[in-house]
């Protein structure tokens, strides 16, 4: 190594030229300037907002009823207890949604006249549950299913989970279907040419690639569901929202709602950041070599 | 063509009056073709002459509208035939390699052995590594295909196609998507397969290669076989006027 560099010239290591050094200095100045500008504008904007809020005539009243630290602290244990139910429902619903959505998406990609009824059924299902408001599905399942008197008492949290699965699997199945269709037909062709059956091709070739393509979209739906689990409170399940409602009535103060809301944000935050990071990374991978 | 010898050893592939049309557009218009064991047949012709469609019908990816396809005497164009089973007996290599990007190179090569031919994983991988070593890609066995150059990917795709020991290998313009400097390594691999006795039908634009490696050259134009001759005769003394025109155009660039 050193022999060749010595043969070519006196320097053993590359040194940036004066031209490059000048460019770097310029870029550094530019970066410094933009950081300063954005910091200043953030401070100004935040200051204006705070001034408008605190300076408003009703601020003292609002602060007392929405941001009371003692009430917040007192209501926290109950709300956390409720949040634990939300988390359980979330986990159950996520697993259910993935299974049902995968099934639906696969049904919709089946070809051949034999599968027409299944295809039509899956299409009808996604149309119905994508159109119907979640809260109505919750009412129908939460109050309708117990009315059937088929099963012994089912906890409302379970009924809420079922309603969430029904609604979200319709959305997620469409995401899966988009992913399946985004896998290039030549992949299917190659797999079938090797003698793999339709099912093997789906399982081994198409679905793994489809999953990768739709991961950011799936995570986004997960974040949406994360906060919609709060809606099971309308069925009377004592989750974080319901607990906050009870505490609000107890203290005659809205602070517990703010606490519950912040807890939901905290719960969703890691997933939101992860989704953004993953999307950015995928975007960067697809645009290797370009500056924009 | 030579009926006596055909009755002695059955051709690996026999096409009789194969027709395929997309709407009004007739892509294959009555193709008759026999391919004997260990024979290398090159399909040449302009783009859109039906070469690729012909390969796809042989592999039952494309359905025939008429005529029959026989694989070792068995009529595989019969809709009652298990198409997956037939495809498992035929290897295919595509213009754009079509390796599976989410699987390692070794998994690409062993997938069909494991899933279709039910070879135990250890045995399939031993054979796969052997094949990869034979083309100098043993070091890439655990890598994903996007780490490989185009030529390496295409060679891996060829090895994937032959890993299960198919009775017939179909090559569809396997060098057309490659940078010129990568064509040689792929052609060398095809040449060694041909020398090793693999029965090959290849659609190609590489005339020099067809001349060197193919036993027979079949010239297709507008879905018909215009000329089917031994390679040497095809290039040196083509019988048909249209073949001469085609070759003249090719040599002119």
């Amino acid at each position: 190594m050193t022999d060749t560099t010595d043969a070519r010239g006196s320097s053993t290591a590359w040194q940036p030229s004066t031209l490059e050094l000048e460019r770097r200095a310029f870029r550094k100045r530019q970066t410094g300037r933009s950081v300063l500008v954005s910091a200043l504008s953030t401070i100004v904007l935040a200051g204006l907002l705070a001034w408008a809020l605190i300076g408003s005539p009703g601020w003292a009243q609002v602060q007392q009823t929405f941001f009371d630290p003692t009430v917040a602290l007192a209501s926290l244990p109950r709300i956390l207890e409720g949040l634990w139910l939300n988390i359980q429902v979330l986990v159950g619903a996520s697993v259910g949604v993935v299974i049902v959505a995968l099934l639906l998406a696969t049904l919709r990609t089946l070809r051949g006249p034999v599968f027409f009824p299944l295809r039509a059924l899956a299409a009808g299902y996604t149309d119905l549950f994508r159109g119907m408001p979640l809260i109505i599905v919750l009412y129908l399942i939460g109050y309708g299913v117990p009315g059937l008197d088929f099963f012994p008492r089912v906890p409302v949290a379970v009924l809420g989970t079922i309603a969430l699965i029904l609604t979200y699997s319709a959305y997620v199945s469409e995401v899966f279907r988009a992913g399946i269709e985004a896998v290039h037909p030549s992949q299917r062709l190659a797999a079938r040419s090797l003698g793999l059956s339709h099912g093997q091709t789906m399982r081994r070739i198409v679905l793994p690639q489809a999953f990768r393509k739709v991961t950011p979209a799936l995570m986004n739906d997960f974040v949406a569901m994360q906060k919609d689990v709060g809606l099971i409170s309308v069925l009377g399940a004592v989750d974080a929202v319901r607990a906050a409602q009870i505490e609000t009535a107890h203290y005659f103060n809205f602070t517990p709602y703010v606490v519950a809301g912040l807890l939901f944000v905290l719960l969703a935050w890691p997933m939101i950041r992860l989704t953004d990071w993953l999307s950015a990374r995928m975007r960067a991978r697809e645009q290797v070599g370009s500056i924009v | 063509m030579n009926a006596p010898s055909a009755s002695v050893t059955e051709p690996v592939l026999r096409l009789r009056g194969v027709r395929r049309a997309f709407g009004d557009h007739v892509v294959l218009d009555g193709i008759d073709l026999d391919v004997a064991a260990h024979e290398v047949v090159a399909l040449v012709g302009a783009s859109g002459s039906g070469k690729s469609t012909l390969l796809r019908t042989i592999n039952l990816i494309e359905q025939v509208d008429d005529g029959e396809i026989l694989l070792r005497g068995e009529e595989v164009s019969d809709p009652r035939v298990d198409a997956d089973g037939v495809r498992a007996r035929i290897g295919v290599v595509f213009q754009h390699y079509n390796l599976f990007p989410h699987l390692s190179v070794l998994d690409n090569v062993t997938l069909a052995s494991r899933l279709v031919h039910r070879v135990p994983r250890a045995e399939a991988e031993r054979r796969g590594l052997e094949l990869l070593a034979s083309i100098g890609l043993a070091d890439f066995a655990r890598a994903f295909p996007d780490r490989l150059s185009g030529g390496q990917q295409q060679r891996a795709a060829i090895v994937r196609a032959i890993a299960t020991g198919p009775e017939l290998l179909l090559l569809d313009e396997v060098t057309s998507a490659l940078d010129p400097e990568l064509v040689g390594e792929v052609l060398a691999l095809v040449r060694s397969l041909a020398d090793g006795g693999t029965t090959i039908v290849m659609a190609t634009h590489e005339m020099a290669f067809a001349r060197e490696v193919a036993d027979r050259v079949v010239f297709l134009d507008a879905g018909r076989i215009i000329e089917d001759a031994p390679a040497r005769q095809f290039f040196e003394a083509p019988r048909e006027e249209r073949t001469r025109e085609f070759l003249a155009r090719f040599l002119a660039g």
Side-chain angles (χ1 to χ4, degrees):
Chain A
M1 276 291 249
T2 41
D3 287 347
T4 52
T5 38
D6 284 342
R8 252 190 243 132
S10 54
S11 71
T12 46
W14 169 79
Q15 290 288 327
S17 64
T18 34
L19 179 68
E20 174 61 19
L21 286 173
E22 200 273 326
R23 274 190 215 133
R24 284 182 192 179
F26 174 73
R27 283 197 203 108
K28 208 170 173 184
R29 280 199 303 278
Q30 287 291 98
T31 315
R33 190 172 305 162
S34 24
V35 167
L36 201 69
V37 168
S38 65
L40 265 176
S41 65
T42 308
I43 290 166
V44 168
L45 189 66
L48 274 173
L49 280 174
W51 174 77
L53 195 66
I54 295 167
S56 64
W59 169 244
Q61 190 72 30
V62 168
Q63 189 182 23
Q64 216 170 40
T65 42
F66 284 87
F67 304 101
D68 187 333
T70 29
V71 175
L73 216 59
S75 62
L76 189 62
R78 292 269 168 76
I79 296 174
L80 274 178
E81 216 171 287
L83 193 68
W84 174 234
L85 179 68
N86 287 117
I87 292 171
Q88 286 171 298
V89 169
L90 179 66
V91 170
S94 303
V95 173
V97 163
V98 168
I99 293 170
V100 177
L102 213 51
L103 197 71
L104 284 170
T106 315
L107 286 181
R108 290 197 73 174
T109 56
L110 286 180
R111 282 181 216 122
V114 191
F115 298 115
F116 175 76
L118 288 175
R119 257 200 323 265
L121 202 68
Y125 178 98
T126 52
D127 284 6
L128 181 69
F129 284 103
R130 276 193 300 165
M132 196 179 293
L134 173 60
I135 197 144
I136 292 178
V137 179
L138 276 164
Y139 282 138
L140 291 180
I141 300 296
Y143 298 134
V145 171
L148 292 175
D149 260 346
F150 247 153
F151 318 98
R153 283 228 158 277
V154 181
V156 280
V158 173
L159 293 172
T161 308
I162 292 170
L164 279 166
I165 291 173
L166 287 174
T167 296
Y168 271 90
S169 61
Y171 283 104
V172 173
S173 82
E174 286 302 291
V175 173
F176 277 143
R177 196 162 71 100
I180 289 169
E181 278 165 12
V183 175
H184 199 273
S186 65
Q187 288 288 308
R188 229 173 287 229
L189 179 67
R192 297 308 298 272
S193 294
L194 285 171
L196 269 67
S197 66
H198 177 84
Q200 287 173 325
T201 303
M202 274 307 265
R203 261 198 326 278
R204 302 299 191 117
I205 305 302
V206 177
L207 285 179
Q209 292 185 58
F211 250 121
R212 262 155 242 231
K213 283 177 199 285
V214 298
T215 304
L218 281 180
M219 287 163 77
N220 214 28
D221 277 342
F222 180 77
V223 169
M225 192 168 76
Q226 215 160 22
K227 56 184 188 218
D228 275 356
V229 290
L231 284 174
I232 61 167
S233 59
V234 300
L235 299 180
V238 185
D239 73 329
V241 176
R242 184 74 172 176
Q245 194 182 13
I246 294 167
E247 296 299 295
T248 296
H250 184 256
Y251 292 106
F252 203 64
N253 187 302
F254 286 112
T255 308
Y257 276 134
V258 176
V259 172
L262 287 177
L263 285 177
F264 272 104
V265 173
L266 268 172
L267 187 66
W269 190 73
M271 204 58 171
I272 293 172
R273 296 281 25 110
L274 187 64
T275 310
D276 276 11
W277 175 78
L278 204 72
S279 318
R281 201 182 65 152
M282 283 176 82
R283 209 167 36 242
R285 272 199 177 177
E286 279 164 17
Q287 303 178 336
V288 192
S290 68
I291 296 172
V292 285
Chain B
M1 267 128 276
N2 34 7
S5 71
S7 61
V8 176
T9 48
E10 198 164 62
V12 173
L13 176 72
R14 166 167 281 184
L15 305 180
R16 284 288 165 268
V18 167
R19 180 190 156 88
R20 175 67 179 154
F22 298 112
D24 289 336
H25 180 51
V26 181
V27 183
L28 298 174
D29 192 5
I31 301 287
D32 296 313
L33 184 69
D34 278 9
V35 179
H38 313 303
E39 199 173 20
V40 177
V41 175
L43 303 175
V44 302
S47 301
S49 58
K51 305 187 296 285
S52 289
T53 308
L54 184 59
L55 292 181
R56 290 160 69 102
T57 54
I58 295 170
N59 195 29
L60 307 184
I61 292 290
E62 206 74 70
Q63 210 176 312
V64 295
D65 293 327
D66 205 348
E68 45 183 9
I69 300 168
L70 293 100
L71 193 62
R72 293 216 188 264
E74 181 196 354
E75 201 219 315
V76 295
S77 42
D78 186 327
R80 280 159 293 198
V81 165
D82 165 33
D84 291 337
V86 173
R87 290 190 199 110
R89 294 164 58 190
I90 302 175
V92 188
V93 185
F94 305 91
Q95 184 175 347
H96 296 282
Y97 343 130
N98 300 9
L99 290 175
F100 305 124
H102 63 299
L103 299 178
S104 72
V105 172
L106 184 60
D107 283 345
N108 264 281
V109 171
T110 59
L111 188 72
S113 304
R114 290 187 281 121
L115 290 185
V116 182
H117 300 263
R118 301 280 166 205
V119 177
R121 180 181 273 270
E123 196 185 324
E125 296 201 336
R126 191 186 49 74
R127 167 102 180 109
L129 281 171
E130 234 171 66
L131 282 167
L132 286 173
S134 74
I135 57 168
L137 290 182
D139 289 345
F140 290 99
R142 306 284 169 190
F144 287 94
D146 62 358
R147 289 269 318 281
L148 273 59
S149 74
Q152 290 172 328
Q153 288 194 44
Q154 190 60 296
R155 287 186 290 131
I158 292 173
V159 160
R160 174 175 75 176
I162 60 166
T164 55
E167 296 161 44
L168 173 67
L169 184 61
L170 306 177
L171 308 178
D172 190 3
E173 309 268 9
V174 292
T175 58
S176 298
L178 294 172
D179 290 336
E181 76 271 19
L182 301 176
V183 169
E185 58 186 85
V186 172
L187 293 185
L189 176 56
V190 175
R191 189 180 298 121
S192 76
L193 291 177
D195 292 344
T198 309
T199 311
I200 298 175
V201 178
M202 56 180 183
T204 186
H205 285 303
E206 302 274 346
M207 292 302 150
F209 184 67
R211 179 176 191 161
E212 180 201 342
V213 172
D215 299 308
R216 266 164 59 211
V217 180
V218 173
F219 173 49
L220 279 170
D221 189 38
R224 288 189 187 170
I225 293 182
I226 306 299
E227 185 152 358
D228 176 349
R232 195 186 160 89
Q233 184 195 322
F234 182 91
F235 288 104
E236 285 174 9
R239 267 194 302 267
E240 300 291 329
E241 181 55 34
R242 262 193 283 178
T243 313
R244 277 193 285 275
E245 282 169 21
F246 172 75
L247 288 175
R249 234 179 313 139
F250 239 94
L251 295 175

